[in-house]
Amino acid sequence: MAWIQLITLLALVQFIWFGFLVGAARQRYGITAPATTGNEIFDRYYRVHMNTLELMVVFLPSLWLAAQYWSPQWVAGAGAIYLVGRVVYLKGYVAEPKKRGPGYGMSFLPTVVLLLAGIVGVVRSLLSG
């Protein structure tokens, strides 16, 4: 389970890193709290951070549930794809919001796979008694 723990920690560190990027953009573009809009580039960083939070709500529980029923190495591999996808999403979205698709797919698809793996694992466990 150390691989699952590592992916979890990396996802949390990544989320904090994205938060620091939002803070830096806030300072760079003069967006004072509590404002969450005001400069297009700041808005992009902010949306990446919030979109990451929204997806993490599904990703982290799915990661842990899938790892209970399937190979932790395989599950961690899917988690690693999610992490890379979030970076690709950040780079694409900040450069041009229309370029966010590949990164979104690289993080959304592993999340769905992990969710389905967790569901299948739970159902199989319930049916086997």
Side-chain angles (χ1 to χ4, degrees):
M1 291 300 277
W3 287 108
I4 302 306
Q5 294 164 349
L6 177 63
I7 294 297
T8 299
L9 291 170
L10 289 174
L12 295 172
V13 167
Q14 184 180 66
F15 181 72
I16 291 169
W17 171 47
F18 288 1
F20 282 129
L21 294 176
V22 172
R26 182 179 291 283
Q27 187 172 33
R28 184 177 318 120
Y29 300 109
I31 309 300
T32 57
T36 57
T37 63
N39 174 281
E40 186 175 348
I41 302 301
F42 167 78
D43 294 348
R44 293 175 189 181
Y45 279 106
Y46 182 78
R47 287 308 315 148
V48 167
H49 192 230
M50 290 300 100
N51 292 150
T52 300
L53 176 61
E54 293 162 2
L55 194 53
M56 278 180 63
V57 170
V58 178
F59 169 71
L60 288 175
S62 297
L63 177 78
W64 280 88
L65 288 167
Q68 297 301 308
Y69 300 100
W70 305 99
S71 162
Q73 290 83 4
W74 175 87
V75 171
I81 294 168
Y82 163 90
L83 293 171
V84 171
R86 286 282 91 191
V87 173
V88 172
Y89 181 79
L90 167 74
K91 299 290 186 190
Y93 202 129
V94 171
E96 170 59 51
K98 292 179 184 176
K99 295 181 180 179
R100 72 188 187 276
Y104 180 77
M106 285 178 66
S107 50
F108 180 74
L109 291 176
T111 301
V112 170
V113 167
L114 292 171
L115 178 63
L116 293 173
I119 290 169
V120 168
V122 168
V123 169
R124 284 177 40 179
S125 178
L126 289 171
L127 292 176
S128 69

